[in-house]
């Protein structure tokens, strides 16, 4: 029977959609066999190509994700058996692979098996042997399903630079012989913090873009939120995983109200809270119940205070300031101090907060941080010191690389 162009196009779209959803699980499952994320990704791509060639003719299988997994695993096993070092590998793994039967698509739906591999892949992609930038790029590629072009566009880097970063990351993991495993004990705690940090950084870049013409990149936030949810499902007894998930749910709930129709930033005080996503807030509350008292949990609790306020005027700034006190004691940093100063300004007034902000002016970590002069300008404006406020807003505008933020700061400078 002839395959129509429309049928072939529909099959191709299905392949691409399924692969986008399942690619992380496929790569994770194959990595367990070949012990190399770079080779695993290539084999997953081979399975994708096979589907693009076969599905338009044979039709989309009942379980397309399982079909892709089975195809990739078959090729992985064939590859291992072809290697000249196969005999040595058999000795290392106790001839385990020799007993692996041909994968059955029905059996491959076992969530425990796949989820364990996915958890190993997350820890591998975020291994400390890689730089933070490499971890982010590799995580987005392997677990977020983003193309090199999409990652480059999200972080305003050249596609060639991102591609090289990913290649180097895979090579570094292979050279260091990073084991495909979930670490335990102290190593697990250290590695988990790296995993959480990567997901947090990805979300933050989407929530408030460092540079470019858009304040928010929702797709990047969605990828980070999906990773946080996956991790919470895989590690249900880790409080900080739930803390991060709660924080991202709360933050993501505000995204529809953060920009106006023209893409201009809308300050928290001016946001239409009817646009806040109540389902995400509910999910945040549920995750917060399991979050413990770590840094992400405290930030989530702060975000929850904002979510509970029906109006900006109802915000419990005293509680928020107290939570920032606890956060500063747990993870002291100048950025936390700056955020604490904002809460203090609302709870106790701008004069008390200005003392805290002025103490941060000489901190080298904040020398080029545009939010420091932005916050200082706001406090000075509220104190009636308009000329000083104008200078601070202009300095903040000169420091940011984000176009919408720059326009907003210049507008505030002009009004001061």
């Amino acid at each position: 029977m002839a395959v129509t162009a429309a049928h072939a196009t529909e099959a191709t779209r299905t392949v691409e959609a399924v692969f986008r959803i399942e690619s992380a699980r496929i790569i994770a499952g194959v990595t367990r066999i070949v012990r190399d994320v770079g080779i695993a990704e290539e084999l997953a791509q081979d399975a994708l190509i096979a589907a693009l060639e076969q599905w338009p003719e044979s039709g989309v299988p009942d379980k397309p994700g399982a079909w892709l997994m089975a195809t990739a695993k078959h090729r992985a096993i064939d590859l291992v058996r072809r290697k000249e070092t196969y005999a040595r590998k058999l000795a290392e793994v106790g001839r385990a692979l020799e007993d692996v039967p041909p994968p059955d698509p029905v059996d491959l739906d076992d969530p425990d098996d796949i989820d364990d591999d996915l958890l190993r892949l997350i820890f591998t992609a975020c291994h400390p042997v890689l730089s933070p930038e490499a971890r982010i790029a590799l995580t987005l590629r392997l677990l977020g399903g983003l193309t090199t072009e999409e990652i480059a566009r999200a972080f305003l880097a050249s596609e060639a630079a991102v591609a090289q970063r990913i290649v180097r990351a895979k090579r570094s993991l292979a050279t260091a012989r990073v084991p495909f495993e979930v670490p335990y004990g102290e190593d697990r705690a250290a590695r988990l913090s790296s995993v959480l940090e990567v997901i947090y950084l990805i979300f933050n870049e989407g929530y408030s873009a460092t540079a470019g013409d858009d304040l928010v990149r929702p797709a990047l936030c969605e990828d980070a939120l999906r990773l946080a949810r996956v991790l919470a499902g895989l590690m249900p007894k880790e409080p900080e995983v739930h803390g991060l998930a709660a924080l991202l749910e709360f933050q993501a709930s505000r995204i529809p109200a953060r920009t106006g129709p023209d893409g201009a930033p809308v300050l928290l005080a001016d946001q239409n809270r009817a646009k806040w996503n109540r389902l995400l807030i509910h999910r945040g509350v549920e995750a917060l119940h399991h979050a413990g008292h770590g840094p992400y949990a405290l930030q989530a609790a702060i975000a929850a205070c904002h979510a509970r306020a029906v109006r900006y005027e109802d915000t419990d700034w005293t509680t928020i300031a107290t939570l920032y006190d606890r956060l500063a004691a747990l993870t002291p940093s100048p950025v936390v101090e700056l955020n604490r100063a904002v809460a203090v300004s609302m709870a106790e007034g701008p004069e008390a907060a200005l003392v805290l902000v002025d103490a941060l002016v000489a901190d080298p970590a904040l020398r080029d941080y545009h939010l420091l002069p932005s916050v200082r300008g706001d406090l000075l404006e509220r104190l009636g010191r308009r000329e000083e406020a104008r200078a601070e807003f202009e300095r903040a505008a000169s420091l940011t690389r984000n176009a919408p933020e720059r326009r907003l700061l210049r507008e505030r400078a002009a009004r001061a």
Side-chain angles (χ1 to χ4, degrees):
M1 179 179 174
V3 179
T4 65
H7 179 77
T9 300
E10 183 61 28
T12 298
R13 287 176 180 165
T14 301
V15 173
E16 292 172 347
V18 171
F19 188 77
R20 179 88 176 213
I21 295 169
E22 299 291 339
S23 61
R25 294 178 182 273
I26 295 168
I27 293 168
V30 173
T31 301
R32 179 156 54 90
I33 297 173
V34 298
R35 302 287 165 171
D36 185 306
V37 294
I39 294 174
E41 187 184 14
E42 291 175 9
L43 292 170
Q45 291 289 338
D46 286 346
L48 170 63
I49 293 170
L52 288 170
E53 292 172 346
Q54 297 178 35
W55 291 8
E57 290 282 349
S58 62
V60 178
D62 292 337
K63 296 182 178 181
W67 189 100
L68 288 167
M69 178 73 86
T71 301
K73 281 192 171 183
H74 272 309
R75 297 187 180 210
I77 293 169
D78 288 343
L79 177 65
V80 171
R81 284 177 172 155
R82 286 199 308 269
K83 285 183 177 289
E84 293 179 354
T85 57
Y86 182 52
R88 177 178 58 80
K89 287 188 175 291
L90 280 180
E92 292 174 354
V93 300
R95 305 184 66 85
L97 286 177
E98 197 170 68
D99 299 327
V100 175
D104 181 348
V106 175
D107 295 338
L108 289 172
D109 280 343
D110 180 358
D112 292 333
D113 178 46
I114 294 175
D115 285 352
D116 283 348
D117 289 339
L118 192 58
L119 189 57
R120 294 184 186 103
L121 183 62
I122 291 174
F123 275 91
T124 301
C126 296
H127 195 281
V129 74
L130 304 177
S131 69
E133 294 80 12
R135 293 176 212 166
I136 289 172
L138 192 60
T139 300
L140 286 174
R141 178 60 178 266
L142 299 181
L143 292 147
L146 273 68
T147 64
T148 304
E149 180 185 1
E150 289 169 330
I151 298 169
R153 188 165 62 244
F155 287 90
L156 300 180
S158 72
E159 190 172 347
V162 170
Q164 193 172 27
R165 189 176 296 164
I166 292 172
V167 169
R168 281 200 301 262
K170 294 175 186 174
R171 189 182 301 132
S172 296
L173 292 175
T175 301
R177 297 186 177 181
V178 171
F180 185 61
E181 65 181 14
V182 178
Y184 296 93
E186 293 181 3
D187 188 33
R188 176 170 172 174
R191 291 270 293 281
L192 179 59
S193 66
S194 174
V195 171
L196 298 179
E197 181 186 20
V198 166
I199 297 174
Y200 183 62
L201 290 173
I202 292 170
F203 183 90
N204 278 352
E205 182 59 30
Y207 189 75
S208 187
T210 304
D213 297 326
D214 300 309
L215 179 72
V216 179
R217 296 193 177 99
L220 213 50
C221 292
E222 289 168 9
D223 281 311
L225 187 54
R226 178 162 58 86
L227 291 173
R229 289 171 179 168
V230 167
L231 199 60
L234 296 173
M235 305 182 73
K237 296 182 180 180
E238 292 288 348
E240 268 296 79
V241 173
H242 293 290
L244 178 65
L247 173 60
L248 302 195
E249 299 282 5
F250 285 130
Q251 296 293 78
S253 73
R254 300 185 210 163
I255 289 175
R258 293 196 69 234
T259 54
D262 58 352
V266 178
L267 298 176
L268 182 62
D270 302 323
Q271 288 177 13
N272 178 0
R273 301 193 173 207
K275 292 183 177 181
W276 287 8
N277 188 314
R278 308 312 299 182
L279 174 60
L280 295 185
I281 290 174
H282 175 73
R283 293 182 68 124
V285 171
E286 288 298 309
L288 192 57
H289 289 323
H290 309 284
H293 307 284
Y296 292 114
L298 287 172
Q299 292 179 71
I302 291 167
C305 288
H306 291 294
R308 292 190 188 102
V310 178
R311 302 174 305 155
Y312 181 76
E313 296 78 9
D314 300 329
T315 307
D316 186 354
W317 289 107
T318 300
T319 296
I320 291 175
T322 301
L323 288 168
Y324 269 119
D325 287 340
R326 290 169 57 188
L327 184 61
L330 195 61
T331 56
S333 83
V335 173
V336 171
E337 282 298 313
L338 184 61
N339 288 329
R340 185 170 77 90
V342 173
V344 168
S345 78
M346 301 305 297
E348 303 176 23
E351 194 166 358
L354 187 60
V355 174
L356 300 176
V357 172
D358 284 347
L360 298 172
V361 170
D363 194 311
L366 299 181
R367 183 171 50 215
D368 298 320
Y369 189 53
H370 73 283
L371 291 181
L372 175 60
S374 175
V375 169
R376 194 166 188 275
D378 181 73
L379 298 176
L380 291 167
E381 185 178 41
R382 288 165 60 188
L383 289 168
R385 295 160 61 176
R386 297 190 174 278
E387 286 297 322
E388 294 172 85
R390 183 179 300 114
E392 291 295 313
F393 287 135
E394 288 174 349
R395 171 168 165 71
S398 72
L399 290 175
T400 183
R401 292 186 292 141
N402 183 275
E405 276 192 320
R406 188 184 303 117
R407 285 193 294 271
L408 175 64
L409 288 164
R410 284 174 176 166
E411 289 171 6
R412 296 199 69 183
R415 293 196 305 265

